[in-house]
Amino acid sequence: VHGRHHGDRNKAMKILTLVKREQVDVFLSKQYGENIDKIKNHVLPVIIRGDVRIKDALEKCRSHFGLLSETAQLPGTQRKHLVLS
């Protein structure tokens, strides 16, 4: 439907509140959506593609730590999400 927005602003705000309270720098997700777009200025979104267990997703993050760290240091308005597959 044209003009209809996906993503729930309240959900995005709850995620953002939790991220700030827990001092999260990286946010892992299996998909990219408008809620992630709304919080990317505060946290680095990392999209994990494929059927991956949490343990394996964390290992992928460890193996790309330099890139994650460098990207997370960028100002939020310049930061893009990363995709690891």
Side-chain angles (χ1 to χ4, degrees):
V1 177
H2 295 290
R4 183 178 172 145
H5 293 281
H6 296 281
D8 177 344
R9 182 167 174 76
N10 288 332
K11 182 178 177 183
M13 293 310 295
K14 288 178 183 178
I15 292 169
L16 185 55
T17 298
L18 179 64
V19 160
K20 286 181 175 182
R21 184 179 73 220
E22 298 297 324
Q23 300 179 344
V24 172
D25 296 316
V26 175
F27 186 88
L28 294 178
S29 181
K30 292 193 72 113
Q31 62 186 12
Y32 188 91
E34 286 190 30
N35 286 328
I36 300 242
D37 195 48
K38 291 174 183 170
I39 67 169
K40 72 179 179 183
N41 287 346
H42 306 278
V43 65
L44 173 61
V46 176
I47 310 306
I48 302 292
R49 296 284 187 216
D51 189 22
V52 179
R53 297 180 304 174
I54 291 173
K55 179 175 93 170
D56 297 328
L58 292 174
E59 184 56 40
K60 285 181 186 274
C61 288
R62 275 195 276 287
S63 67
H64 292 88
F65 182 79
L67 176 61
L68 289 161
S69 180
E70 182 180 312
T71 306
Q73 297 303 314
L74 292 172
T77 56
Q78 295 177 15
R79 189 179 308 130
K80 304 273 189 215
H81 70 281
L82 297 178
V83 178
L84 302 179
S85 53

